Amino acid sequence: CRSRGAFLGLAVGVLAAAAYTPKKHRLKVYFILLIGILGVIRLTDKAFIERILTVARPLEGSQLDSSAESRPRLWKASYEIMMGHPLGVGPGRWFDVIGNYIPEYAGKDAHSTYGRAMGELGLPGASVFLIVIFYAFKNLRKTRQIIADLSGDDVEQFEHLIFGSKISLIVILTSGLFITMIYTEALWLLLMLPACILKAARSRLASQTALSGQEDMA
């Protein structure tokens, strides 16, 4: 609950939700976001605020400061591991090799989904991961183009699916900058969901087109 990565993901998600909300639902979504923000403020305490502030302004001499400052070093080490092992060191072997690059961080996690992908999966794995992300958003865009030809309640239902999927991806991918989730099922389920939504939209359009054709023949 005090994860800075999760907080940043939610913060970016709030901005994305405000930006991508369909016009006819904006007031409702803005109201829900406002209630959520007020709830977060109500539940925070001094320790939480101090921890979150270290994202932009580390507290000198504190354990939080050390944790925050380790991120850039670990990201740099991720790149060095990938360059030294283009095919990766293998799933789960990050902890065995990080000490060779930063001795004082031996056994320490990468604290980054992208860093672990680079180090353990190498250039092929990291590239495939980025391609999957690219196609997730591309599939959502294709779905939006397809539903332009739909009619009835289907359009609004697919708009909700596109909106929810896009915001979820933005939240989890932003959090992934600071949290290791490369082997977490939720990440991959969210990345696969746009393909399912696209297939459903194509199927619905085909059914609607066939039904329209039958009505014209009748």
Side-chain angles (χ1 to χ4, degrees):
C1 294
R2 295 182 185 273
S3 168
R4 286 166 292 190
F7 176 82
L8 285 175
L10 288 174
V12 172
V14 167
L15 296 176
Y20 292 116
T21 299
K23 291 183 179 179
K24 58 184 175 181
H25 297 300
R26 282 181 180 173
L27 287 179
K28 179 169 60 178
V29 172
Y30 289 170
F31 177 74
I32 293 173
L33 290 176
L34 177 61
I35 296 298
I37 291 172
L38 292 176
V40 170
I41 294 174
R42 177 67 179 84
L43 293 172
T44 56
D45 56 18
K46 183 179 179 181
F48 175 82
I49 294 174
E50 288 180 350
R51 180 175 178 82
I52 297 305
L53 288 176
T54 61
V55 172
R57 179 182 56 80
L59 300 176
E60 295 183 1
S62 69
Q63 184 178 358
L64 294 181
D65 177 57
S66 175
S67 177
E69 287 186 346
S70 70
R71 295 307 200 271
R73 297 184 66 188
L74 287 168
W75 294 337
K76 181 181 179 182
S78 300
Y79 175 77
E80 292 175 349
I81 293 173
M82 183 176 66
M83 291 296 99
H85 305 271
L87 298 181
V89 296
R93 295 207 61 237
W94 166 276
F95 304 97
D96 299 328
V97 301
I98 184 59
N100 298 331
Y101 295 84
I102 310 178
E104 62 269 31
Y105 289 169
K108 188 179 182 67
D109 188 26
H111 292 292
S112 171
T113 298
Y114 309 95
R116 280 283 292 275
M118 290 167 60
E120 293 189 352
L121 307 179
L123 283 168
S127 298
V128 169
F129 181 46
L130 294 178
I131 290 172
V132 170
I133 293 173
F134 170 78
Y135 271 98
F137 286 100
K138 184 176 181 179
N139 286 337
L140 291 177
R141 185 170 66 252
K142 284 184 177 180
T143 304
R144 183 166 296 283
Q145 294 171 348
I146 289 174
I147 65 174
D149 297 325
L150 289 177
S151 59
D153 295 337
D154 289 335
V155 176
E156 186 168 0
Q157 291 176 5
F158 277 108
E159 283 182 347
H160 291 166
L161 287 172
I162 293 170
F163 174 72
S165 182
K166 180 180 290 185
I167 301 306
S168 298
L169 282 170
I170 290 173
V171 170
I172 200 167
L173 292 174
T174 300
S175 298
L177 290 168
F178 306 94
I179 301 173
T180 300
M181 295 181 288
I182 191 65
Y183 306 118
T184 301
E185 292 88 343
L187 171 64
W188 295 99
L189 289 173
L190 287 174
L191 287 171
M192 289 187 291
L193 183 59
C196 300
I197 297 174
L198 175 60
K199 185 173 182 179
R202 285 173 172 167
S203 176
R204 190 68 189 94
L205 179 61
S207 299
Q208 194 175 92
T209 301
L211 180 61
S212 177
Q214 292 175 1
E215 293 176 349
D216 291 341
M217 291 177 63

